[in-house]
Amino acid sequence: MGNKVFTTEFRYKGTTYSALISLRPSGADHSVYVQLNDSALHQVVPDGEFHFRISDGLRKAADPRSNVNRELLQAVREAVLLHIKPSSQFSDPY
């Protein structure tokens, strides 16, 4: 699978939002670049953008240096996982 760009919806704190996602395969993992479409989320992520790897996304959110809210990252991550083909070699360890 090559690079994939798509819009996805996700639920965060009881509200549905959307984000533009750029998904890039990296071996058995995927790099995810997120651009939040709703300016209300810029209070949570001031620049409205963040990135993570599927395999270490939750560790990144737990990192105190990270500017990404754990709950938001998890919501986006779960939405992105729905777009990864089941035939992918990636298996979700979480």
Side-chain angles (χ1 to χ4, degrees):
M1 177 175 96
N3 292 353
K4 184 175 180 180
V5 177
F6 57 93
T7 299
T8 192
E9 291 186 340
F10 60 93
R11 300 239 344 132
Y12 173 68
K13 296 198 175 194
T15 302
T16 300
Y17 297 99
S18 66
L20 180 65
I21 305 295
S22 176
L23 184 65
R24 296 183 180 139
S26 178
D29 199 359
H30 293 84
S31 293
V32 181
Y33 297 84
V34 181
Q35 181 177 2
L36 301 170
N37 294 334
D38 192 310
S39 61
L41 291 175
H42 292 203
Q43 295 175 9
V44 180
V45 181
D47 61 0
E49 298 179 356
F50 62 96
H51 68 280
F52 62 95
R53 288 188 179 274
I54 291 290
S55 64
D56 67 5
L58 299 181
R59 283 181 288 210
K60 178 176 180 158
D63 184 339
R65 296 168 292 174
S66 174
N67 68 337
V68 182
N69 172 286
R70 181 182 176 89
E71 185 180 350
L72 175 62
L73 191 146
Q74 178 63 21
V76 172
R77 183 179 179 275
E78 288 175 4
V80 168
L81 284 172
L82 296 175
H83 290 269
I84 297 175
K85 292 181 181 181
S87 62
S88 171
Q89 295 178 1
F90 176 76
S91 68
D92 187 2
Y94 301 101

